Amino acid sequence: MTLEALSSVSFLIRVQIPDRPGSLGAVATALGEIGADILSLDVVERGNGAAVDDMVVELPSGRLPDVLITAAESVEGVQVDAVRPYAGVLDTRRELELVEEIAAEPRRGLQIFAEGVPRIIRSGWAVVFGHHSGGAEQLAASTSAPQEGYLELPWLPLPRATILDVEDSWVPETWKELGTELAATPIGKPDLVLLTGRPGGPMFRAAEVARLAHLAGIVSVVLEE
């Protein structure tokens, strides 16, 4: 690791920006003025006159992430949804790379999918469940997934990708305490699903869930080949 890497910290900042010329540039300028460096940008959603963007931003060590919020929101009409530490860089090719990896090792496909989803949609963890007469069975999980043992999932089988309510009775208390946002999608069929959690937010948006559903559909086809 270089001295430069040790002297800076990366954060993922989700911002709502007015969808008009110059707005993104103004945010970049405001962040630059506090010494922040934008490493990458991913458009999450666009509509109703606004864009929701995820930025990976490098901030000099010792500076509190609150300065990112202050700087971004100094631009008129900009709202920061969330800021959290982030390891890695956004890459729009990662869905294709994940599908290729699953195609190369289909026997490990569900495990590879569970490990890959958090990197793609920037969640904290992912678990794959199968639905049987006795209830839900965990089939695969990312290394970061919480160890809860048996979970009762009343929404299984799941007909379509959806955002789940973290306040529902089936959700473990530890997830609620962490403010974990939840989303799930079937993997080709309603009784095989992936559940993903984002501790501390931000909330999942419709465009993210649609992206997850699309990826799960592709993965299901690859696994059936």
Side-chain angles (χ1 to χ4, degrees):
M1 182 178 290
T2 66
L3 180 61
E4 181 180 358
L6 288 170
S7 63
S8 61
V9 182
S10 294
F11 292 91
L12 178 68
I13 174 171
R14 174 165 293 186
V15 292
Q16 296 185 48
I17 300 175
D19 196 2
R20 58 174 181 259
S23 292
L24 182 57
V27 172
T29 298
L31 293 174
E33 289 175 350
I34 62 167
D37 184 19
I38 298 176
L39 303 180
S40 54
L41 171 73
D42 195 21
V43 179
V44 176
E45 195 171 71
R46 175 171 279 127
N48 298 320
V52 178
D53 296 338
D54 277 351
M55 299 179 182
V56 172
V57 177
E58 197 170 68
L59 192 63
S61 180
R63 303 216 66 181
L64 297 176
D66 290 359
V67 300
L68 295 171
I69 300 174
T70 301
E73 292 188 343
S74 69
V75 178
E76 183 180 358
V78 172
Q79 178 181 330
V80 175
D81 283 353
V83 176
R84 60 188 174 95
Y86 185 78
V89 177
L90 299 180
D91 182 355
T92 55
R93 298 173 299 177
R94 56 194 182 277
E95 286 100 329
L96 177 59
E97 293 171 353
L98 178 61
V99 170
E100 289 177 341
E101 188 178 352
I102 291 171
E105 294 187 81
R107 291 186 179 180
R108 295 187 58 247
L110 293 178
Q111 180 61 39
I112 294 170
F113 188 38
E115 291 285 4
V117 162
R119 298 195 303 268
I120 290 172
I121 63 169
R122 298 170 299 285
S123 61
W125 50 264
V127 181
V128 175
F129 290 97
H131 182 253
H132 305 285
S133 57
E137 177 188 3
Q138 181 174 308
L139 302 178
S142 63
T143 53
S144 54
Q147 302 298 315
E148 296 292 343
Y150 178 77
L151 275 181
E152 195 156 331
L153 305 178
W155 40 267
L156 270 180
L158 184 69
R160 65 184 65 83
T162 187
I163 297 170
L164 299 168
D165 186 352
V166 70
E167 297 302 324
D168 281 350
S169 59
W170 68 270
V171 179
E173 286 300 320
T174 52
W175 299 9
K176 295 179 181 180
E177 291 169 2
L178 292 172
T180 306
E181 300 291 341
L182 299 168
T185 182
I187 308 173
K189 51 188 177 181
D191 57 358
L192 180 64
V193 302
L194 179 134
L195 171 66
T196 186
R198 186 181 278 161
M203 64 179 287
F204 286 100
R205 290 185 168 268
E208 291 181 291
V209 177
R211 181 181 183 183
L212 180 62
H214 179 67
L215 178 60
I218 295 173
V219 168
S220 70
V221 172
V222 172
L223 292 176
E224 289 173 358
E225 291 181 352

